[in-house]
Amino acid sequence: MSIIVDKDTRLVVQGITGNEGSFHTEQIVEYKTNVVAGVTPGKGGTDLNGIPVYNTVENAVREQNANTSIIFVPPPFAADAILEAASAGIKVIICITEGIPIADMIKVYNSIKKKDIILIGPNCPGVISPGQAKVGIMPAFIHKEGTIGVISRSGTLTYEAVKQLTDVGLGQSTCVGIGGDPIVGSKFIDIIKLFNEDPDTEGIVMIGEIGGSTEEEAAEYIKENVKKPVVTFIAGRTAPPGRRMGHAGAIISGGKGTAGEKMKVMSEAGIHVVESPAEMGNTMLSVLNNN
Amino acid sequence: MKIHEYQGKEILRKFNVPVPEGKVALNSEDAVKIAKEDIGGNVWVVKAQIHAGGRGKGGGVKVAKSLDEVKQFSDEILGMNLVTHQTGPAGKIVKRLLIEQGMNISRELYVGITLDRTSSKNVVMVSTEGGMEIEKVAAETPEKIVKETIEPELGLLPYQARKLAFSMGLIGQQHKKAVKFLTALYNTYTQSDCSLAEINPLVVTAEGDVVALDAKMNFDDNALFRHKDILEYRDIDEEEPLEVEASKYNLNYIKLDGNVGCMVNGAGLAMATMDIIKLAGGEPANFLDVGGAANKTTVANGFKIILSDPNVKAILINIFGGIVRCDRVAQGVIDAANEMDINIPIVVRLEGTNAKEAKVLLNNSELNFEVAGTLKEAAEKVTAILKK
C-alpha cells in the first residue's frame, strides 16, 4: 500500500546527534519506523536512546543492514552526506537539509542519476506511508492509511492537503515532499510513475508551485500514461515575477514558470486543476465518487 | 544575491575576463578624476549603477566626449530617479556611477551562463543578437540562440567553446579571443557560485578585441557562506527597506501592493494563502514566511514588519502547526498583540497540533481576533472585514 518507504524500511539517520537530527529521530521512532542506526563522524561507538551511532554510513549498512537514509546534516556538508550514502549502497536517500548550494546539487544529482537510487529532496519534509513508516519531519497525526498518493514541492502546504484529505475520509498510500529547490533528486514525473505503478494508489494529489517546468513535464506524462485521477493545485498565482518566494526554486523568470501557464497545461492534460488551495480534499472525493 | 555592474566587472577582471577600463564614482569630482587619471583617452561612458536593466533607455548611460561632459553627465545622472522596465514605475535613485573608457564597437553579441533546471546542468548560451533583451530573442527568433550543456564533471570543454565562438560568426584572432573569453567567464561562474553570468552586450571592438561591455551577475544565496568577498558587495540601498528589516529577524518577507497582510509558516502555504485571499476578492499586501518557530518573538516581529506597510488594513495569520504546537503559537499571537496595541482586525487560523486548545485561548483572550477554522473561512472572513 505504498511507495518508497514501508514496513521493510531499515533507516539510518545521518546527523543523528545534532539538534534537528535527534529531535526528529525521536518522532520517527514514535511512529514505529524501524530506525536501525545513526551516523555522526567522530561519534561512532556511542548511541542515541539505544540506536547505535557509527562514524560512516558504510559501517551502518554493514552492521545493521540499513537500506534507507534520512539526512539532517548542515548545508555545507549535506551534499557529501548524500554521496556517502549512495556509495555505501543505500537505495533510498531522503535529504531534509535546507540551503545546499546549487553547484553542489548539480554534481550530486548527475552522479546519483546514473545509479539505481531514489533521492528525495533536499529542502523537503520527507516521505510518509501512513501506518507503515515515517521518514521525515511531517506531523504524523494528520495522516490516515488509505489509497491517495500525495506529492508536493512544499512542506506545510502538503500538510494542508493531507489534512483536507483525511477530513473528507480519504487516507493516503504515501505522501512525498520532493522539495522546493531548483534541483531536487526526484521530480514530479519520477514519483507520479511510482504512484501509477503502485496497485494500492487510486488517486494522486499533486501540489505544484511557480518556477521551473517540472509540473508541465509531469502533465505530459500523465496525459499519456496515467488513468488514475489526478488533482492539482499550483501555488503562487499572485506572486510577482523575478522574486524568489521563499523556496529557491519558486521564481518566475523571463516570463516562464507562472502559475497560470502551469494550470493551463495541466488542465489540457486532463488533470483536475483546483483554483483554490481549500478545495484539494473535496475535489479528490468528488472525482473518485464520479468515477 | 544581485550586485552592481562595476562589482561584477571587478570579479571578472580577477578571472581574466576582458572588461573596459573603469572605476566607480560617488560624485562628479571623482568621476572627472577617474576619467582623466585612471582611464585617460578622450571618450568615456558614464553609467548609472542600479540593480536593474534597461538603464540606457531610461537615460542612465551617457557617452562623454570631454571631461566637462563627464562632469555634466555625472551631475545629471547622480541622484536622478531612474525608471526602467525592470525598476517598476517608482524607479530607483542613482547613488553610484561607473566611469568607463569609451569603446569602438564593431559588433554586439550575447553570452549568458545559467542553470538549466530541466537537465539540472549549467548551460552556456550565445547569440549574435547582442544588446537586445534575450527573452525577446528567445521568444521571436529562438534559432539565434546557440546553447551548450555542460557536464558537471567535465566543465566547459574546448570544443564546446570553439563551437560557441564559431556560432557567433567569429574567425581568426577574434575567434581565439572569444574562446578564451568564454572559458574565463565559465571559470568565474563556477568558482564564484553564480546563478547567472550574463554579458549583454559582449562586444567586438574595431581593434578586434572581445570585451564585456556590460555584466550582470547573480549569486546563489545558499553558497554565499563560502564567498565572504562577494557578500561584501551587497548594497542594501538597492533592496526594499522592509525586506532588509525582516531579514534581520530571519523572516522571509516580500512586499506586494495589496491591503491584506499575511503571516504564514512555510513558503508554499504562504503563496497559497496569498492566492486564496485574491480568490476571495482581496489583495495580499505581502508574502511572509515565519518559518518553523512561530513563537511570541517571531510573531511580534512579523506584526512589526506587516504594520510598517501603511496599505495594510487587515491581517491574516495562517499557521499549520506540525512540530510547533498551535496553542503555543496562539499564546505568542496573544502576547504580541497585547504588547503592540494593534488597531486593525486580525483573522487567525491555526490548524494542526493542539488546534482546539489554540481556538479556546484566542476566543478567551478578549482581544479582537476573528478565529477561522479552515483556509477558505479565513480568507472569506478577512475580505468580509474589508468590505464593511
Side-chain angles (χ1 to χ4, degrees):
Chain A
M1 291 248 306
S2 61
I3 61 169
I4 307 171
V5 301
D6 56 27
K7 289 263 183 235
D8 296 327
T9 294
R10 295 180 63 81
L11 188 65
V12 51
V13 181
Q14 289 177 259
I16 193 167
T17 54
N19 278 339
E20 296 272 301
S22 56
F23 175 79
H24 287 292
T25 300
E26 219 171 281
Q27 310 271 320
I28 290 168
V29 169
E30 203 170 284
Y31 202 69
K32 310 225 167 8
T33 310
N34 191 10
V35 182
V36 299
V39 170
T40 298
K43 297 211 170 151
T46 62
D47 75 296
L48 184 98
N49 301 330
I51 301 164
V53 178
Y54 296 90
N55 283 327
T56 65
V57 181
E58 194 184 3
N59 286 348
V61 170
R62 194 191 314 130
E63 304 290 324
Q64 303 294 340
N65 283 320
N67 58 15
T68 301
S69 155
I70 185 166
I71 295 175
F72 292 102
V73 171
F77 318 108
D80 185 52
I82 297 172
L83 294 172
E84 183 187 352
S87 122
I90 298 280
K91 292 298 175 200
V92 174
I93 304 169
I94 296 171
C95 184
I96 307 298
T97 307
E98 175 178 1
I100 303 181
I102 293 173
D104 296 8
M105 278 313 298
I106 291 178
K107 288 185 189 138
V108 168
Y109 178 86
N110 289 290
S111 143
I112 297 259
K113 200 175 64 171
K114 298 168 195 149
K115 301 174 184 166
D116 177 28
I117 289 172
I118 296 176
L119 170 65
I120 305 289
N123 189 14
C124 76
V127 182
I128 183 170
S129 295
Q132 299 198 60
K134 162 177 147 159
V135 185
I137 60 172
M138 62 291 283
F141 76 97
I142 55 171
H143 299 82
K144 176 185 155 137
E145 285 176 58
T147 58
I148 306 298
V150 179
I151 168 171
S152 167
R153 274 163 74 179
S154 91
T156 44
L157 183 55
T158 317
Y159 310 161
E160 174 71 39
V162 169
K163 179 81 170 49
Q164 288 178 22
L165 287 168
T166 299
D167 283 351
V168 298
L170 293 173
Q172 305 88 42
S173 52
T174 301
C175 305
V176 186
I178 55 173
D181 279 0
I183 299 182
V184 289
S186 298
K187 302 180 180 185
F188 280 118
I189 190 167
D190 304 311
I191 307 302
I192 297 274
K193 279 181 192 171
L194 297 178
F195 277 135
N196 199 35
E197 287 157 12
D198 176 33
D200 295 315
T201 296
E202 289 172 4
I204 301 167
V205 173
M206 174 177 157
I207 304 151
E209 60 189 37
I210 53 163
S213 58
T214 52
E215 288 86 355
E216 289 90 327
E217 287 152 24
E220 200 169 311
Y221 177 83
I222 290 166
K223 190 179 179 182
E224 299 298 324
N225 302 288
V226 180
K227 299 278 183 293
K228 300 175 184 182
V230 182
V231 170
T232 283
F233 171 72
I234 305 287
R237 246 189 147 171
T238 45
R243 303 301 311 269
R244 164 179 164 164
M245 304 303 280
H247 291 157
I251 182 165
I252 300 167
S253 50
K256 292 223 162 170
T258 64
E261 192 185 349
K262 286 173 189 288
M263 287 163 125
K264 185 167 165 270
V265 172
M266 303 199 79
S267 293
E268 284 167 3
I271 296 166
H272 304 270
V273 179
V274 295
E275 300 257 324
S276 160
E279 306 294 334
M280 295 183 279
N282 54 21
T283 304
M284 181 49 95
L285 185 67
S286 68
V287 169
L288 286 175
N289 286 343
N290 290 339
N291 269 15
Chain B
M1 191 181 88
K2 293 179 180 177
I3 61 172
H4 288 295
E5 173 196 1
Y6 78 90
Q7 297 166 328
K9 284 177 171 169
E10 283 176 18
I11 297 173
L12 291 173
R13 219 172 261 132
K14 277 188 210 159
F15 283 89
N16 297 316
V17 179
V19 295
E21 286 289 331
K23 247 184 172 177
V24 66
L26 302 177
N27 56 58
S28 58
E29 289 73 37
D30 281 354
V32 171
K33 203 167 154 231
I34 289 164
K36 194 176 163 190
E37 294 171 15
D38 295 315
I39 302 173
N42 48 26
V43 183
W44 302 271
V45 187
V46 180
K47 302 180 88 175
Q49 298 293 289
I50 58 168
H51 285 188
R55 293 166 298 166
K57 276 184 204 154
V61 179
K62 295 245 162 89
V63 178
K65 299 201 166 126
S66 68
L67 290 171
D68 286 341
E69 277 190 353
V70 171
K71 178 154 184 4
Q72 183 199 331
F73 294 147
S74 296
D75 281 329
E76 281 172 21
I77 297 173
L78 271 175
M80 83 184 275
N81 189 34
L82 187 51
V83 180
T84 81
H85 68 284
Q86 286 184 6
T87 59
K92 275 274 168 200
I93 305 285
V94 181
K95 294 179 177 170
R96 307 178 192 203
L97 295 173
L98 171 60
I99 310 301
E100 224 169 48
Q101 79 181 115
M103 290 276 159
N104 289 318
I105 299 167
S106 89
R107 287 187 66 198
E108 294 193 35
L109 308 168
Y110 170 94
V111 52
I113 309 178
T114 193
L115 170 71
D116 170 35
R117 290 172 62 166
T118 306
S119 64
S120 298
K121 291 172 186 171
N122 289 315
V123 286
V124 181
M125 295 173 282
V126 301
S127 173
T128 51
E129 307 303 292
M132 289 174 61
E133 264 179 74
I134 200 66
E135 284 87 2
K136 216 173 161 192
V137 179
E140 290 167 9
T141 48
E143 72 281 0
K144 289 190 172 164
I145 298 176
V146 177
K147 294 179 186 175
E148 280 293 315
T149 301
I150 310 300
E151 292 303 325
E153 68 271 35
L154 300 175
L156 175 68
L157 295 167
Y159 83 86
Q160 293 181 301
R162 289 198 302 272
K163 198 168 139 189
L164 289 166
F166 280 127
S167 74
M168 289 190 282
L170 299 172
I171 49 165
Q173 280 306 313
Q174 291 178 11
H175 182 267
K176 276 188 185 158
K177 284 177 180 167
V179 167
K180 264 180 111 172
F181 184 102
L182 289 168
T183 311
L185 184 66
Y186 178 76
N187 290 339
T188 316
Y189 176 90
T190 52
Q191 289 174 41
S192 311
D193 276 300
C194 291
S195 55
L196 174 73
E198 188 177 68
I199 310 298
N200 190 18
L202 167 70
V203 299
V204 181
T205 65
E207 297 80 18
D209 288 323
V210 176
V211 183
L213 202 65
D214 197 0
K216 182 175 174 188
M217 299 184 55
N218 297 348
F219 300 87
D220 173 11
D221 292 337
N222 288 350
L224 286 172
F225 70 88
R226 52 193 179 202
H227 300 284
K228 299 275 183 291
D229 50 334
I230 294 169
L231 211 48
E232 278 173 22
Y233 282 137
R234 182 173 174 197
D235 180 3
I236 55 172
D237 279 350
E238 293 289 326
E239 298 171 28
E240 164 69 37
L242 276 178
E243 293 174 16
V244 175
E245 188 71 13
S247 70
K248 287 182 194 157
Y249 302 127
N250 280 322
L251 298 174
N252 200 334
Y253 172 89
I254 292 169
K255 194 181 173 311
L256 303 168
D257 297 329
N259 52 11
V260 181
C262 340
M263 195 181 324
V264 188
N265 67 334
L269 191 60
M271 277 190 275
T273 305
M274 287 159 45
D275 294 346
I276 201 170
I277 287 171
K278 175 106 177 176
L279 275 177
E283 286 288 340
N286 65 278
F287 167 95
L288 174 58
D289 174 9
V290 296
N295 55 29
K296 179 186 152 192
T297 322
T298 324
V299 174
N301 289 333
F303 276 140
K304 217 184 288 172
I305 301 290
I306 290 176
L307 292 170
S308 313
D309 175 356
N311 296 329
V312 171
K313 301 284 178 278
I315 296 176
L316 170 55
I317 299 179
N318 182 22
I319 305 282
F320 203 108
I323 303 309
V324 47
R325 280 168 33 196
C326 288
D327 51 335
R328 290 225 181 126
V329 178
Q331 196 57 54
V333 171
I334 292 166
D335 292 347
N338 257 330
E339 269 174 29
M340 296 182 69
D341 185 29
I342 297 169
N343 302 317
I344 56 171
I346 303 173
V347 176
V348 189
R349 187 260 179 159
L350 300 175
E351 183 57 271
T353 315
N354 291 2
K356 276 185 195 138
E357 290 84 342
K359 247 187 179 174
V360 173
L361 277 175
L362 289 169
N363 282 328
N364 293 343
S365 69
E366 290 175 9
L367 285 164
N368 197 15
F369 294 124
E370 286 259 11
V371 181
T374 63
L375 188 49
K376 194 177 172 196
E377 194 189 336
E380 283 168 357
K381 279 197 167 169
V382 82
T383 40
I385 287 168
L386 290 175
K387 278 179 193 146
K388 270 182 202 165

